Amino acid sequence: EIALARARLELKQYPEAWKNLEAAKTLKDRDPEVYVYRGVYYHLQEKENQAIKELEKAMSLDEHHAYAHYYAGQVYLRLGNAARAVDMFKIFLNAAPDAPEAPKAKLLIDALC
């Protein structure tokens, strides 16, 4: 369900993605991936307060989840909290230095510091 939701988010099929995310939550409510992509969903809908709640839930389930921190950084950036965004991007880079998003995270840190 999560893989399907991710694909649908990329295709901007938001209602269908949400259905997959709801199904994934029912099946695996302790899986941080569920909450990461629920957070992404809300972020894409520009509902940043809801996004950060979902991402914080993911981080509470797995404090080292790289993408929970990456997307939290994106949300904090949109909320105008540059210091918190930098913190999130640094944690992401420590957890996943070779991730495809690492160069972007580094650029954002440099730009915000």
Side-chain angles (χ1 to χ4, degrees), residues 6 26 35 47 51 53 70 74 81 100 113:
R6 287 175 57 190
T26 301
Y35 299 98
K47 296 178 180 179
K53 287 178 187 175
Y70 176 77
Q74 295 287 335
N81 189 339
C113 289

Side-chain angles (χ1 to χ4, degrees), residues 19-102:
K19 288 177 188 175
N20 293 118
L21 290 167
E22 284 290 287
K25 184 178 177 188
T26 301
L27 295 170
K28 297 181 176 185
D29 73 330
R30 304 293 300 165
D31 184 345
E33 290 284 306
V34 171
Y35 299 98
V36 168
Y37 289 100
R38 288 170 62 93
V40 170
Y41 169 85
Y42 283 125
H43 177 59
L44 293 171
Q45 300 295 309
E46 298 182 9
K47 296 178 180 179
E48 306 309 327
N49 291 325
Q50 291 159 301
I52 207 63
K53 287 178 187 175
E54 298 290 343
L55 293 164
E56 286 174 353
K57 174 73 175 177
M59 289 183 267
S60 75
L61 293 170
D62 179 358
E63 66 185 67
H64 302 292
H65 195 289
Y67 284 96
H69 290 90
Y70 176 77
Y71 291 116
Q74 295 287 335
V75 172
Y76 282 120
L77 192 58
R78 189 176 283 168
L79 289 170
N81 189 339
R84 191 73 175 127
V86 166
D87 290 342
M88 293 292 110
F89 290 135
K90 285 180 177 178
I91 294 168
F92 166 72
L93 288 171
N94 284 333
D98 298 322
E101 297 83 0

Side-chain angles (χ1 to χ4, degrees), residues 2-16:
I2 294 170
L4 190 53
R6 287 175 57 190
R8 287 185 163 155
L9 287 171
E10 288 180 25
L11 294 170
K12 298 181 180 176
Q13 296 174 348
Y14 301 124
E16 296 87 354

